[in-house]
Amino acid sequence: MPKGYWVSVYPTIEDPDRLDDYNKLAGRAVAAMGGRVLASIGGRVEAHEAGKPERVVLIEFDSFERAVAARASASYQEALAELPEGFERDFRVVEGLG
């Protein structure tokens, strides 16, 4: 069964310290659903072509369905409510290959 991934790119974060509450709650929600952080904020990024060296978070789940369910979970919805103003991200749930 293919794994599922959360891929988040953060083009705009006016005040990174204001993400602390979100990060704490999101971390608990991800762990509760069996998610594993493979790359995170603070990691190095080398951008090519149209890419930009923005913050990237990559989280792996045992299946695509599990990744979708984690995004819809009540605990992750609570975390989303803590995202501050002046914040932008590109978030996707992606199915892995076989």
Side-chain angles (χ1 to χ4, degrees), residues 3 5 13 17-20 23 30 32 37 46 50 68 74 81 91-92 94:
K3 296 186 186 267
Y5 297 90
I13 301 176
D17 293 334
R18 291 179 50 218
L19 286 174
D20 289 346
N23 288 334
V30 165
V37 178
E46 184 176 320
V68 169
F91 180 95
R92 297 159 195 235
V94 179

Side-chain angles (χ1 to χ4, degrees), residues 8 13 17 20 23 26 31 37 48 52 54 57 83-84 88 94-95:
S8 302
I13 301 176
D17 293 334
D20 289 346
N23 288 334
V37 178
H48 297 276
K52 298 175 184 167
E54 299 164 336
V57 175
L83 287 174
E88 178 187 351
V94 179
E95 184 176 48

Side-chain angles (χ1 to χ4, degrees), residues 39-91:
S40 188
I41 294 171
R44 298 185 318 173
V45 176
E46 184 176 320
H48 297 276
E49 288 76 42
K52 298 175 184 167
E54 299 164 336
R55 293 176 183 221
V56 176
V57 175
L58 176 62
I59 300 175
E60 180 181 65
F61 292 86
D62 289 337
S63 69
F64 178 77
E65 291 75 18
R66 189 80 167 166
V68 169
R71 172 69 171 76
S73 71
S75 58
Y76 189 68
Q77 295 305 305
E78 180 184 349
L80 285 175
E82 295 300 320
L83 287 174
E85 295 292 322
F87 170 85
E88 178 187 351
R89 79 175 171 171
D90 177 350
F91 180 95

Side-chain angles (χ1 to χ4, degrees), residues 26-40:
R28 284 188 217 138
V30 165
M33 294 296 285
R36 295 167 297 284
V37 178
L38 302 181
S40 188

